Amino acid sequence: MDRNKRDLITLILNILIAVCGTIGFVIMMVINSSATGLTADGLANFKFYTVLSNVLCTVVAYAWLVWYIVKGRSSDGGCSKAMGMAKLMTAAAVGVTFMTIAAFLGPIYGHSLLYKGSNLWFHLIVPLIAMAEFLVFDTRVEFGVKHCLLSVIPTIAYGLFYLINLLVNGVGEWPDTNDWYGFVNWGLPVGMCIFAGIILITFGIAAALVAIRKKFKKQ
């Protein structure tokens, strides 16, 4: 695939991420979808990793579009390394959302329940587009193991927030629980092991995306 075609696909996919992420955000904020599972009202949704990762992914897509409009079309040096790192971080983060819903929370709560309203956009559509976009992202930006390691920072940060909130405020009882993902249903040690597994999954997704991207680059 030549660079012009790859850049065009990247542009289209970033537009889709921005549009789809915005649609999901508007649905989340305007429509009371608390009956659809793992949602709250308004700004309370920002306690969820899903929302934070998707909003960050959408913001990065908008930032890339601004860069493209201002400089990208006339730039021969490609996108900045920082933007590339942001792309990897957000693709891995929403990838975790996709995998967690598909393989862990979906079987517990029901997939149909978790693909309604804003969840359809945040659990499925945006993650798939974001991961696909990273695969064709500016081939002039190189990624290695250290970048995959750095990609787990958002997940670790969220895990620390989740743990501190549980330790300070307690688990609570449904529906006013601070364990909204049910990680400590089997005790705190098990919950910490689950989140350690999620961190490893984050790294694994980032590493897989980087490896697949290298194959795309050769085409």
Side-chain angles (χ1 to χ4, degrees), residues 33 71 101 107:
S33 57
K71 185 179 179 181
I101 295 300

Side-chain angles (χ1 to χ4, degrees), residues 20-205:
C20 293
T22 301
I23 291 173
F25 181 81
V26 171
I27 292 174
M28 178 188 75
M29 295 299 293
V30 175
I31 300 175
N32 184 359
S33 57
S34 58
T36 63
L38 291 181
T39 57
D41 292 327
L43 294 175
N45 283 287
F46 279 87
K47 67 184 180 182
F48 296 120
Y49 180 90
T50 291
V51 173
L52 293 172
S53 61
N54 274 270
V55 168
L56 181 60
C57 185
T58 303
V59 169
V60 170
Y62 274 114
W64 185 92
L65 289 170
V66 171
W67 169 84
Y68 180 80
I69 293 171
V70 174
K71 185 179 179 181
R73 288 175 294 179
S74 61
S75 175
D76 293 327
C79 194
S80 71
K81 193 70 175 184
M83 179 63 75
M85 190 64 241
K87 282 291 184 181
L88 177 57
M89 279 185 173
T90 53
V94 294
V96 169
T97 287
F98 173 77
M99 292 298 296
T100 302
I101 295 300
F104 177 64
L105 296 178
I108 294 175
Y109 295 104
H111 288 92
S112 61
L113 189 67
L114 298 178
Y115 290 136
K116 291 183 179 180
S118 60
N119 284 338
L120 173 64
W121 303 90
F122 289 165
H123 290 168
L124 183 65
I125 297 176
V126 173
L128 289 177
I129 298 174
M131 288 187 286
E133 187 269 338
F134 180 78
L135 297 181
V136 297
F137 181 75
D138 198 331
T139 56
R140 290 159 289 184
V141 181
E142 298 289 342
F143 298 95
V145 175
K146 67 177 181 179
H147 302 104
C148 296
L149 291 171
L150 288 173
S151 70
V152 307
I153 291 176
T155 303
I156 292 176
Y158 183 83
L160 290 174
F161 155 74
Y162 200 94
L163 176 61
I164 292 172
N165 186 46
L166 287 175
L167 294 176
V168 173
N169 298 313
V171 175
E173 296 182 1
W174 188 265
D176 298 319
T177 178
N178 289 311
D179 183 28
W180 45 82
Y181 281 128
F183 288 140
V184 298
N185 284 343
W186 305 277
L188 184 59
V190 174
M192 294 179 68
C193 288
I194 291 173
F195 215 91
I198 293 176
I199 292 172
L200 290 176
I201 291 172
T202 306
F203 174 80
I205 291 174

Side-chain angles (χ1 to χ4, degrees), residues 12-24:
I12 293 172
L13 292 178
N14 271 280
I15 292 173
L16 286 175
I17 293 170
V19 171
C20 293
T22 301
I23 291 173

